[in-house]
Amino acid sequence: MDEITVSPAPEESRPADEAPRADRTTRRAALVATLIALPVTVAVAGFTFAKLAPDEPAVAPRPSATAARPQSTAAVELPAPTLAERPATVCRALVSQLPERVRDLAQRPVTAGPEQNAAYGDPALTVACGGTPPIVQPTDEVWSVNKVCWHAVQEADATVLTTVDRETPVRVRVPRQYEQPLQWVSPISDTIVAAVPSAKSAPAGCTA
């Protein structure tokens, strides 16, 4: 039996509409691919922006003296509990090294305990050294700012931040008018590192 060979039909013998149909199919496939790729591109762009965006707003530049907000120069009323010898020594060292300004807030006098208390601005941001350390629950959050670990408690008109990784506690009360409380303790943290020894232990979550 003779072998029968089937060959492709010549181009001129194909149906007249086959080429346009192929073109339409190709264009449709390209359109679908584009619609699928677009959300992926947007998602990747969003992820990239999120990774590059800072977790917290950058600290604003320190205003010049001429731009400092107006404030009272009256003494700020603060308690001055009696401290044991060691905490009293540590607190004197701390207060003597505190900066004259915290961001744009100038230091103000205090009514009691200038060797353990300090105040800045109006309304007053206060610093109190010594006293009872805070009780940190396992579910409480702590924040490390310039190598100092802080525990925060929200009050009606302020955020109270207390160190939990230092031999002697330091408490900073930041009035609600001052946004982003952790940024306000940054310069104070630097002084704490220099003047207040680290505690032997610290809550989980504190980092150096």
Side-chain angles (χ1 to χ4, degrees), residues 1 15 27 38 46 49 68 73 79 86 100 117 131 134 155-156 165 173 180 182-183 189 202:
M1 181 181 294
R27 288 197 297 270
L38 180 59
F49 177 82
T73 56
R86 173 63 179 175
E100 294 183 359
N117 293 324
E155 295 185 348
D165 64 341
R173 186 177 185 274
Q180 301 173 353
L182 291 175
Q183 293 191 6
S189 293

Side-chain angles (χ1 to χ4, degrees), residues 26-77:
T26 301
R27 288 197 297 270
R28 184 176 180 181
L31 177 61
V32 171
T34 301
L35 292 176
I36 294 174
L38 180 59
V40 173
T41 302
V42 172
V44 170
F47 176 78
T48 303
F49 177 82
K51 293 294 288 182
L52 293 178
D55 294 334
E56 295 184 2
V59 178
R62 176 174 161 176
S64 63
T66 57
R69 68 184 80 199
Q71 65 179 52
S72 171
T73 56
V76 177
E77 185 172 352

Side-chain angles (χ1 to χ4, degrees), residues 188-204:
I188 299 171
S189 293
D190 293 337
T191 307
I192 290 173
V193 169
V196 184
S198 298
K200 294 181 180 179
S201 62

Side-chain angles (χ1 to χ4, degrees), residues 76-161:
V76 177
E77 185 172 352
L78 286 172
T82 302
L83 302 178
E85 182 178 357
R86 173 63 179 175
T89 300
V90 171
C91 289
R92 281 195 298 272
L94 170 68
V95 173
S96 68
Q97 297 178 52
L98 285 173
E100 294 183 359
R101 307 182 73 90
V102 172
R103 299 180 73 179
D104 64 333
L105 305 181
Q107 192 167 8
R108 295 172 58 182
V110 294
T111 58
E115 72 285 346
Q116 64 195 70
N117 293 324
Y120 296 86
D122 185 13
L125 178 152
T126 60
V127 182
C129 181
T132 305
I135 298 175
V136 181
Q137 302 296 336
T139 56
D140 288 353
E141 289 186 317
V142 292
W143 290 270
S144 180
V145 180
N146 293 11
K147 299 183 180 180
V148 176
C149 197
W150 298 88
H151 175 260
V153 174
Q154 297 295 330
E155 295 185 348
D157 58 349
T159 299
V160 178
L161 292 152

